[in-house]
Short mmCIF file of all heavy atoms in Angstrom, two decimals:
data_model
loop_
_atom_site.label_atom_id
_atom_site.label_comp_id
_atom_site.label_asym_id
_atom_site.label_seq_id
_atom_site.Cartn_x
_atom_site.Cartn_y
_atom_site.Cartn_z
N PRO A 121 28.64 -32.33 22.01
CA PRO A 121 28.73 -32.92 20.68
C PRO A 121 27.47 -33.09 19.85
O PRO A 121 27.40 -33.06 18.70
CB PRO A 121 29.20 -34.41 21.03
CG PRO A 121 29.24 -34.46 22.48
CD PRO A 121 29.08 -33.17 23.08
N ASN A 122 26.26 -33.27 20.58
CA ASN A 122 24.94 -33.24 19.91
C ASN A 122 24.74 -31.93 19.06
O ASN A 122 24.14 -32.13 17.93
CB ASN A 122 23.83 -33.18 20.89
CG ASN A 122 23.65 -34.51 21.75
OD1 ASN A 122 24.62 -35.15 21.73
ND2 ASN A 122 22.46 -34.64 22.18
N LEU A 123 25.34 -30.82 19.47
CA LEU A 123 25.03 -29.67 18.72
C LEU A 123 25.83 -29.67 17.52
O LEU A 123 25.46 -29.19 16.38
CB LEU A 123 25.50 -28.41 19.55
CG LEU A 123 24.68 -28.18 20.66
CD1 LEU A 123 25.12 -26.88 21.42
CD2 LEU A 123 23.24 -28.09 20.47
N GLN A 124 27.01 -30.29 17.56
CA GLN A 124 27.76 -30.30 16.23
C GLN A 124 27.04 -31.25 15.26
O GLN A 124 26.95 -31.07 14.06
CB GLN A 124 29.13 -30.98 16.50
CG GLN A 124 30.07 -31.06 15.21
CD GLN A 124 31.49 -31.24 15.58
OE1 GLN A 124 31.79 -31.90 16.51
NE2 GLN A 124 32.38 -30.67 14.75
N GLU A 125 26.52 -32.45 15.80
CA GLU A 125 25.83 -33.42 14.91
C GLU A 125 24.70 -32.72 14.22
O GLU A 125 24.31 -33.06 13.04
CB GLU A 125 25.33 -34.48 15.77
CG GLU A 125 25.51 -35.86 15.27
CD GLU A 125 24.97 -36.87 16.38
OE1 GLU A 125 25.76 -37.15 17.34
OE2 GLU A 125 23.80 -37.24 16.45
N ARG A 126 23.97 -31.92 14.97
CA ARG A 126 22.63 -31.41 14.39
C ARG A 126 22.83 -29.97 13.95
O ARG A 126 21.87 -29.31 13.89
CB ARG A 126 21.62 -31.40 15.69
CG ARG A 126 21.57 -32.62 16.31
CD ARG A 126 20.63 -33.70 15.64
NE ARG A 126 19.26 -33.33 15.54
CZ ARG A 126 18.45 -33.43 16.41
NH1 ARG A 126 18.75 -34.04 17.64
NH2 ARG A 126 17.18 -33.11 16.25
N ARG A 127 24.11 -29.58 13.63
CA ARG A 127 24.25 -28.16 13.43
C ARG A 127 23.54 -27.51 12.19
O ARG A 127 23.26 -26.27 12.20
CB ARG A 127 25.69 -27.73 13.37
CG ARG A 127 26.46 -28.31 12.10
CD ARG A 127 27.92 -27.84 12.28
NE ARG A 127 28.67 -28.11 11.22
CZ ARG A 127 29.26 -29.24 10.88
NH1 ARG A 127 28.98 -30.34 11.66
NH2 ARG A 127 29.89 -29.36 9.69
N GLN A 128 23.05 -28.32 11.26
CA GLN A 128 22.43 -27.87 10.15
C GLN A 128 20.84 -27.77 10.35
O GLN A 128 20.07 -27.31 9.45
CB GLN A 128 22.70 -28.45 8.84
CG GLN A 128 24.10 -28.25 8.37
CD GLN A 128 24.58 -26.73 8.18
OE1 GLN A 128 23.64 -25.91 7.98
NE2 GLN A 128 25.81 -26.36 8.39
N SER A 129 20.36 -28.50 11.41
CA SER A 129 18.92 -28.57 11.65
C SER A 129 18.35 -27.23 12.04
O SER A 129 19.11 -26.44 12.70
CB SER A 129 18.55 -29.60 12.72
OG SER A 129 19.34 -30.66 12.45
N PRO A 130 17.04 -27.04 11.82
CA PRO A 130 16.57 -25.75 12.36
C PRO A 130 16.56 -25.84 13.89
O PRO A 130 16.37 -26.93 14.45
CB PRO A 130 15.06 -25.93 11.83
CG PRO A 130 15.10 -26.85 10.68
CD PRO A 130 16.15 -27.81 10.90
N GLY A 131 16.75 -24.71 14.49
CA GLY A 131 17.03 -24.72 16.03
C GLY A 131 15.99 -25.37 16.73
O GLY A 131 16.24 -25.98 17.74
N THR A 132 14.72 -25.21 16.32
CA THR A 132 13.70 -25.72 17.27
C THR A 132 13.35 -27.23 17.04
O THR A 132 12.58 -27.77 17.72
CB THR A 132 12.43 -24.90 17.02
OG1 THR A 132 12.21 -24.71 15.65
CG2 THR A 132 12.32 -23.54 17.81
N LYS A 133 14.12 -27.85 16.18
CA LYS A 133 14.04 -29.37 16.06
C LYS A 133 14.68 -30.06 17.00
O LYS A 133 14.53 -31.22 17.13
CB LYS A 133 14.48 -29.77 14.57
CG LYS A 133 13.63 -29.38 13.46
CD LYS A 133 12.57 -30.31 13.20
CE LYS A 133 11.74 -30.18 11.97
NZ LYS A 133 10.85 -29.14 11.82
N LEU A 134 15.51 -29.33 17.94
CA LEU A 134 16.19 -30.02 19.02
C LEU A 134 15.29 -30.25 20.09
O LEU A 134 14.22 -29.67 20.35
CB LEU A 134 17.35 -29.05 19.58
CG LEU A 134 18.41 -28.74 18.54
CD1 LEU A 134 19.31 -27.82 19.32
CD2 LEU A 134 19.15 -29.87 17.99
N SER A 135 15.61 -31.26 20.96
CA SER A 135 14.83 -31.49 22.15
C SER A 135 14.88 -30.39 23.18
O SER A 135 15.89 -29.49 23.02
CB SER A 135 15.14 -32.84 22.82
OG SER A 135 16.53 -32.62 23.42
N GLY A 136 14.18 -30.40 24.19
CA GLY A 136 14.13 -29.31 25.22
C GLY A 136 15.52 -29.21 25.80
O GLY A 136 16.13 -28.15 25.92
N GLY A 137 16.12 -30.42 26.14
CA GLY A 137 17.45 -30.41 26.84
C GLY A 137 18.50 -29.84 25.79
O GLY A 137 19.34 -29.04 26.27
N GLU A 138 18.47 -30.35 24.60
CA GLU A 138 19.50 -29.80 23.71
C GLU A 138 19.27 -28.31 23.39
O GLU A 138 20.21 -27.61 23.18
CB GLU A 138 19.26 -30.55 22.28
CG GLU A 138 19.77 -31.97 22.41
CD GLU A 138 19.35 -32.77 21.12
OE1 GLU A 138 18.32 -32.52 20.58
OE2 GLU A 138 20.14 -33.77 20.88
N GLN A 139 18.10 -27.84 23.40
CA GLN A 139 17.93 -26.45 23.23
C GLN A 139 18.44 -25.66 24.30
O GLN A 139 19.01 -24.57 24.11
CB GLN A 139 16.38 -26.09 23.11
CG GLN A 139 15.84 -26.36 21.70
CD GLN A 139 14.44 -25.89 21.55
OE1 GLN A 139 14.06 -24.82 22.10
NE2 GLN A 139 13.58 -26.64 20.78
N GLN A 140 18.36 -26.21 25.55
CA GLN A 140 18.82 -25.55 26.74
C GLN A 140 20.45 -25.46 26.58
O GLN A 140 21.06 -24.47 26.95
CB GLN A 140 18.46 -26.15 28.06
CG GLN A 140 18.88 -25.62 29.26
CD GLN A 140 18.31 -24.13 29.46
OE1 GLN A 140 18.87 -23.13 29.01
NE2 GLN A 140 17.11 -24.16 30.08
N MET A 141 20.97 -26.63 26.13
CA MET A 141 22.40 -26.71 25.95
C MET A 141 22.86 -25.59 25.00
O MET A 141 23.84 -24.81 25.17
CB MET A 141 22.94 -28.05 25.44
CG MET A 141 22.51 -29.22 26.30
SD MET A 141 23.61 -29.20 27.83
CE MET A 141 22.91 -30.58 28.54
N LEU A 142 22.07 -25.45 23.88
CA LEU A 142 22.43 -24.57 22.88
C LEU A 142 22.27 -23.08 23.40
O LEU A 142 23.13 -22.27 23.12
CB LEU A 142 21.37 -24.68 21.61
CG LEU A 142 21.65 -23.72 20.50
CD1 LEU A 142 23.06 -23.64 19.87
CD2 LEU A 142 20.65 -24.03 19.38
N ALA A 143 21.22 -22.81 24.27
CA ALA A 143 21.07 -21.49 24.77
C ALA A 143 22.22 -21.13 25.65
O ALA A 143 22.65 -19.93 25.57
CB ALA A 143 19.81 -21.44 25.61
N ILE A 144 22.70 -22.02 26.40
CA ILE A 144 23.93 -21.81 27.28
C ILE A 144 25.20 -21.64 26.37
O ILE A 144 26.01 -20.71 26.54
CB ILE A 144 24.12 -22.81 28.36
CG1 ILE A 144 22.94 -22.80 29.25
CG2 ILE A 144 25.43 -22.53 29.09
CD1 ILE A 144 22.97 -24.03 30.29
N ALA A 145 25.33 -22.56 25.42
CA ALA A 145 26.49 -22.70 24.62
C ALA A 145 26.79 -21.33 23.86
O ALA A 145 27.84 -20.92 23.72
CB ALA A 145 26.46 -23.80 23.64
N ARG A 146 25.82 -20.81 23.34
CA ARG A 146 25.93 -19.73 22.38
C ARG A 146 26.36 -18.45 23.29
O ARG A 146 27.03 -17.58 22.70
CB ARG A 146 24.70 -19.32 21.67
CG ARG A 146 23.48 -18.91 22.37
CD ARG A 146 22.29 -18.59 21.55
NE ARG A 146 21.08 -18.35 22.25
CZ ARG A 146 19.86 -18.27 21.76
NH1 ARG A 146 19.71 -18.33 20.41
NH2 ARG A 146 18.83 -18.04 22.58
#
Side-chain angles (χ1 to χ4, degrees):
Chain A
N122 284 24
L123 296 183
Q124 179 166 34
E125 220 176 274
R126 314 278 295 276
R127 66 183 190 279
Q128 296 300 336
S129 316
T132 42
K133 286 278 194 278
L134 298 180
S135 70
E138 286 170 329
Q139 285 189 32
Q140 186 62 270
M141 301 293 182
L142 178 56
I144 298 176
R146 66 183 170 186

